[in-house]
Amino acid sequence: MTSIRDVAREAGVAISTVSKVLNNYPNVSQETKDKVEDAVRKLHFVPNAAASTLSSKQPDRVAVIINSSETSRLRDEINMQYISGAITSARSLGTDVCVLFSYMAESRSLEEMIQYLRTQNIGGIVVCTLDRTQLKLMALIESGTFPTVVIDAPFTGERISSISIDNRQAQYDVASKMIAGTSRRSILYIAGGDEGYVTEDRLNGIRALAREKKLRLMVRNGHFSEKQARTITKKYAPDYDAIVCASDMMAIGAMRELIEMDIFRPVSGFDGLSVMGYAGKQMFTVKQDFSGIAAEAMREEKRLMSGAHGRKIVMPYRLARITYEDVIE
Amino acid sequence: MTSIRDVAREAGVAISTVSKVLNNYPNVSQETKDKVEDAVRKLHFVPNAAASTLSSKQPDRVAVIINSSETSRLRDEINMQYISGAITSARSLGTDVCVLFSYMAESRSLEEMIQYLRTQNIGGIVVCTLDRTQLKLMALIESGTFPTVVIDAPFTGERISSISIDNRQAQYDVASKMIAGTSRRSILYIAGGDEGYVTEDRLNGIRALAREKKLRLMVRNGHFSEKQARTITKKYAPDYDAIVCASDMMAIGAMRELIEMDIFRPVSGFDGLSVMGYAGKQMFTVKQDFSGIAAEAMREEKRLMSGAHGRKIVMPYRLARITYEDVIE
DNA sequence: TTGTATGCGTTATCAG
DNA sequence: CTGATAACGCATACAA
């Protein structure tokens, strides 16, 4: 295996000089820098990650923790975008990522988990979709052991950054757009469960809209479940003009129930899943750039790992009607 | 950070002895073994992966290469199961995995790719869904640099194992089951593209069925595209009794086209995607256990890495009709 | 600006 | 069966 040693010999300089060039140290003359870089190219040299992390005891890998529910496979579309966004971004940042699933954290003790992460040379974690059911993960974050970026949860701190879209505004916007130009004056809002941190923000969004436009608002909790959304729709839809849901899957459930009830109500969802293109009528939804969010989370993690203070990052979103034509290929 | 050194001190033995216990060497007395294990537990010791791979120059990580097409997000469900199956299985095998996307391989030279993998201490690769468009990846496999397990491609060799279901039989079975008990005597088969290695097997399956049952068979190539499947359906469906598709997305396209044409034909797909539950009528499909396949691939990779000879592994499948009730939660 | 020397935590070799 | 010790490839404090 070609090592930094070979590069040094090839370039006619010392090992430490090669190391300095590789790590962009100042105080290296352009001339030697060129020599080293030529040698690197010539030998197709790539530094050994293990040796690197062992030597500089600064863990540089980032654990990307995915919250994959066994139940809704259709949400895997989101997780996949988180993963690919994080991995691609990490590569361009020169970092390594390690994909983990949140159930792995839940099935072991905090100490074990920390040890495991340490052992893997992990210096920071990115949590994709944190919710209140992830107790161990929460404890891990609060332990302050690793700088952390959480997606979709309102936690910031000295070493914690949060990143998400403006859920309140997005929920407001999508509902507002849906009823714009219509005479619909009452809304059935099917909220997510208390387990989700986004639930409250979205709820505030729809409440603000109702107050502002003087709409009659009924709020029910669908727990992000398509089935429960159907039940709620069946019971309340006849008395309301429009249905606003805190997730696409609930919107799909509502729409299917409406079809079965043979009444029409405009329905909006949240997230922009492809399956929306197959679920019947066109529905409004909030489309998030999950891949971009993960990429940004990765950048933020690097920032934190280099000592920066935690902060809150708000990402853009856009409203969309996902049609079959958008999805088909 | 607690190291093997601390364990040695705590247990009152030498560092090398601890190492031996940790790696299940023979020739260690039960007594010292116990002492060491107690110390390990007491100190919550976990070996440092970087140091380990640096020292024992045997690369032990496995690269899991995902073929994620930007186009069909609904297929991410499959990739996600590959990933979680591989990661979970790896953990229980004591291996580390590194998730990569195939486009990463396509955008760099073979030498670069090999160097990169080496640097990551990767000792084997698992390719999830190899197809003929992945030229660089193919070159990498053929270079013989790493023992490889390919999913869904018929390659075996000294250091290459393949793993997949019996595509031929599965295609035969699902079509056979669909027309069983009916008087349907002619089939429109919408095949996958030549880029997919499974295409030929599935084609042989439907051909065998047609021959055996003396069915009239028309084969068209839909290139795994829902849109193309629609076009084909529109043109040929009126003249055939049933439509058999080499993928779920094509089946969905066919079914939607049929609905638009206002004629009915039984349709079958292949893979068992959740979206099938939303795509209209119940369709037959072949359900694969992608997570289990990835787990098996992982085990096989370990086998190869420890010197075993490549082989072909056939996984079970089952026929299913995915209904909305199966999918909803 | 460049080179020398030491250590990171583990494994493996070999002597006891 | 156990212990000392030399690598592994790189980073870094320090010397030149």
Side-chain angles (χ1 to χ4, degrees), chain A residues 83-304:
Chain A
I83 293 176
S84 75
I87 290 181
T88 306
S89 161
R91 292 254 3 210
S92 70
L93 292 170
T95 308
D96 268 5
V97 330
C98 171
V99 178
L100 299 178
F101 291 89
S102 59
Y103 64 79
M104 292 173 168
E106 298 308 313
S107 63
R108 69 195 72 223
S109 79
L110 180 59
E111 271 170 335
E112 271 180 303
M113 192 62 192
I114 290 177
Q115 285 287 342
Y116 173 72
L117 295 173
R118 282 253 168 75
T119 230
Q120 293 283 11
N121 287 301
I122 278 166
I125 67 189
V126 171
V127 181
C128 300
T129 319
L130 179 66
D131 66 41
R132 291 193 174 85
T133 66
Q134 297 160 295
L135 300 177
K136 294 277 178 57
L137 199 48
M138 203 52 225
L140 176 62
I141 296 169
E142 284 177 339
S143 76
T145 319
F146 302 98
T148 304
V149 177
V150 289
I151 295 177
D152 275 353
F155 297 121
T156 55
E158 185 57 36
R159 315 210 63 200
I160 307 177
S161 287
S162 83
I163 176 166
S164 71
I165 63 167
D166 183 340
N167 280 283
R168 182 181 181 284
Q169 188 64 42
Q171 187 63 90
Y172 177 102
D173 283 351
V174 72
S176 170
K177 182 158 188 173
M178 184 172 73
I179 63 170
T182 71
S183 57
R184 307 195 180 257
R185 310 295 307 156
S186 62
I187 289 180
L188 168 60
Y189 183 71
I190 306 184
D194 296 332
E195 67 274 21
Y197 288 104
V198 293
T199 295
E200 201 178 331
D201 284 342
R202 296 182 188 170
L203 198 48
N204 286 333
I206 196 70
R207 284 203 171 118
L209 180 71
R211 204 166 17 201
E212 205 171 287
K213 308 267 188 197
K214 304 203 191 323
L215 306 171
R216 189 160 57 93
L217 178 68
M218 162 69 104
V219 175
R220 293 286 101 173
N221 192 334
H223 293 98
F224 294 115
S225 150
E226 181 172 352
K227 204 177 261 172
Q228 293 191 40
R230 293 196 65 146
T231 309
I232 293 169
T233 301
K234 186 165 191 174
K235 187 160 174 192
Y236 298 100
D239 302 329
Y240 292 84
D241 291 339
I243 303 180
V244 176
C245 301
S247 82
D248 283 343
M249 295 318 292
M250 293 196 294
I252 290 171
M255 180 56 87
R256 289 183 82 104
E257 190 63 38
L258 287 171
I259 292 172
E260 216 160 83
M261 295 165 76
D262 203 25
I263 65 178
F264 176 76
R265 299 285 183 279
V267 176
S268 74
F270 208 111
D271 277 347
L273 297 181
S274 298
V275 68
M276 288 285 268
Y278 295 87
K281 320 290 187 201
Q282 290 181 14
M283 291 179 270
F284 280 99
T285 192
V286 175
K287 207 153 167 76
Q288 304 190 45
D289 174 13
F290 298 104
S291 177
I293 289 174
E296 182 63 34
M298 210 64 214
R299 277 190 291 275
E300 178 64 12
E301 183 62 57
K302 288 280 289 195
R303 239 182 43 95
L304 288 181

Side-chain angles (χ1 to χ4, degrees), chain A residues 47 88 96 103 119 226 278 324, chain B residues 47 88 103 119-120 226 278 324:
Chain A
T88 306
D96 268 5
Y103 64 79
T119 230
E226 181 172 352
Y278 295 87
Y324 178 59
Chain B
T88 306
Y103 64 79
T119 226
Q120 295 281 19
E226 180 173 353
Y278 295 88
Y324 178 59

Side-chain angles (χ1 to χ4, degrees), chain B residues 310-325:
Chain B
R311 60 178 175 170
K312 176 177 175 171
I313 296 178
V314 177
M315 296 291 286
Y317 58 89
R318 57 191 189 76
L319 305 182
R321 302 186 80 159
I322 299 187
T323 70
Y324 178 59
E325 282 66 35

